Amino acid sequence: MSQISMNTHKASIPAAERASGPWRDAWKAFRRNKTAVVGLSIIIIFILIAILAPLLSTYDYKEQVLTDRLQAPSAEHWFGTDDLGRDIFTRTLYGARISLWVGFLSVIGSIILGTALGILAGFYGKWWDMLISRLFDILLAFPSILLAIAIVAILGPSLENALYAIAIVNVPTYGRLVRSKVLSLKTEEYITAARAIGVKNSRILIRHILPNSLTPIIVQGTLGIGTAIIEAAALGFLGMGAQPPEPEWGKMLSDSRQFIQTAPWTVFFPGLSIMLTVLGFNLLGDGLRDVLDPRMKPK
């Protein structure tokens, strides 16, 4: 009898209300946001390119054919060839793997470390807040690219060290964001009530503080991936990121800059790839901010 009553009650709830929920509503709003959809579509295309690179090209990105050097785009070489006769289309495809790998991993590292430090500073305060905030101030006192160059110069030029450097220089961005969010959350009534009934700080952080801090982290992280890709390309351009023969887009631009007038295709396609990828993450980040930030929603 009780089961029949539950089914009757469930049937009496409107279907639209049963289907409602914060994440479901956010997804519906996201799909209506054309900017976000375009950004996500661009990102998905480049992710598929990175995954399917071996199937999309029959050339080896390391293969050098000096007799075919600096050939213009053609049916044989869609994006032309570089000064060593390597197929630029193939190298651009494989370059997507490197740029996305660096972008995602560096941002994940920044978010993990920045979130941990931001929670310590915002929730516990006192000397934790003073020490961590001064650390953030010191890191932010340097231009990010110069600090990344200094870190790579100490560790040695390589793609992995460039990833570490990019992650480190972006930690204050997420740390200060989380700190400010935690400072506002810990004064909420439900946090005060949880403390009053003896809930441990660790449980408050995991069950209440962290989940309610995810929205700004997601938005900033999405935008941060585009920034990380640009920084990786800048380090590669300076010879401090990926090393030959790795087909990193910034390194490809650096190797071809002397041919910008005689063979412009050698710099056009890697540069276009950087621009489109960063554009995709920026559009997605702006769309997520519009969807997830309550202040951006129409009243």
Side-chain angles (χ1 to χ4, degrees), residues 14-32:
E17 184 178 346
R18 294 202 307 268
S20 180
W23 291 107
R24 189 183 296 273
D25 293 341
W27 172 243
K28 290 180 180 179
F30 179 86
R31 288 187 299 177
R32 291 193 297 267

Side-chain angles (χ1 to χ4, degrees), residues 72-94:
S74 62
E76 185 178 0
H77 300 285
W78 291 359
F79 289 180
T81 60
D82 61 11
D83 59 313
L84 295 177
R86 295 172 297 191
D87 184 68
I88 295 178
F89 176 71
T90 302
R91 291 179 62 78
T92 302
L93 295 180
Y94 281 91

Side-chain angles (χ1 to χ4, degrees), residues 34-211:
K34 295 181 179 179
T35 298
V37 172
V38 170
L40 180 61
S41 299
I42 294 173
I43 294 170
I44 290 175
I45 289 172
F46 274 95
I47 290 175
L48 291 176
I49 286 173
I51 295 173
L52 301 176
L55 302 177
L56 297 175
S57 176
T58 57
Y59 293 98
D60 183 350
Y61 70 84
K62 296 181 291 187
E63 182 181 2
Q64 301 180 12
V65 184
L66 296 179
T67 55
D68 293 340
R69 64 188 304 269
L70 297 179
Q71 286 192 2
S74 62
E76 185 178 0
H77 300 285
W78 291 359
F79 289 180
T81 60
D82 61 11
D83 59 313
L84 295 177
R86 295 172 297 191
D87 184 68
I88 295 178
F89 176 71
T90 302
R91 291 179 62 78
T92 302
L93 295 180
Y94 281 91
R97 289 184 170 186
I98 295 176
S99 292
L100 292 175
W101 179 71
V102 172
F104 279 110
L105 289 187
S106 63
V107 167
I108 289 173
S110 297
I111 288 176
I112 292 174
L113 185 56
T115 299
L117 293 175
I119 287 177
L120 284 176
F123 190 78
Y124 291 102
K126 298 182 179 179
W127 66 271
W128 278 107
D129 190 14
M130 183 187 67
L131 181 63
I132 294 173
S133 295
R134 296 298 77 78
L135 174 62
F136 289 163
D137 291 338
I138 292 172
L139 292 176
L140 290 171
F142 299 92
S144 58
I145 188 62
L146 292 182
L147 182 58
I149 291 173
I151 294 173
V152 175
I154 294 172
L155 299 178
S158 72
L159 184 62
E160 290 76 14
N161 291 338
L163 189 154
Y164 298 146
I166 294 170
I168 291 171
V169 300
N170 288 305
V171 164
T173 301
Y174 302 96
R176 296 182 71 176
L177 183 67
V178 173
R179 175 184 175 274
S180 64
K181 187 68 176 178
V182 172
L183 286 174
S184 64
L185 287 174
K186 74 176 186 178
T187 59
E188 295 288 338
E189 293 182 358
Y190 64 90
I191 300 296
T192 304
R195 283 175 163 172
I197 62 176
V199 178
K200 294 182 179 179
N201 286 337
S202 59
R203 185 174 179 83
I204 293 175
L205 289 173
I206 296 174
R207 294 293 301 273
H208 302 293
I209 298 293
L210 186 58

Side-chain angles (χ1 to χ4, degrees), residues 23 26-27 29-30 33 35-37 40 43 215-223 280-294 296-297:
W23 291 107
W27 172 243
F30 179 86
N33 191 308
T35 298
V37 172
L40 180 61
I43 294 170
T215 295
I217 294 175
I218 292 173
V219 174
Q220 184 59 45
T222 305
L223 295 170
F281 282 106
N282 288 343
L283 292 177
L284 179 60
D286 288 340
L288 288 176
R289 181 183 57 196
D290 295 341
V291 170
L292 298 177
D293 191 344
M296 304 296 295
K297 297 179 179 179

Side-chain angles (χ1 to χ4, degrees), residues 229-250:
I229 290 174
I230 293 178
E231 291 173 344
L235 291 174
F237 186 86
L238 296 173
M240 307 190 75
Q243 300 300 305
E246 295 300 320
E248 195 273 326
W249 289 336

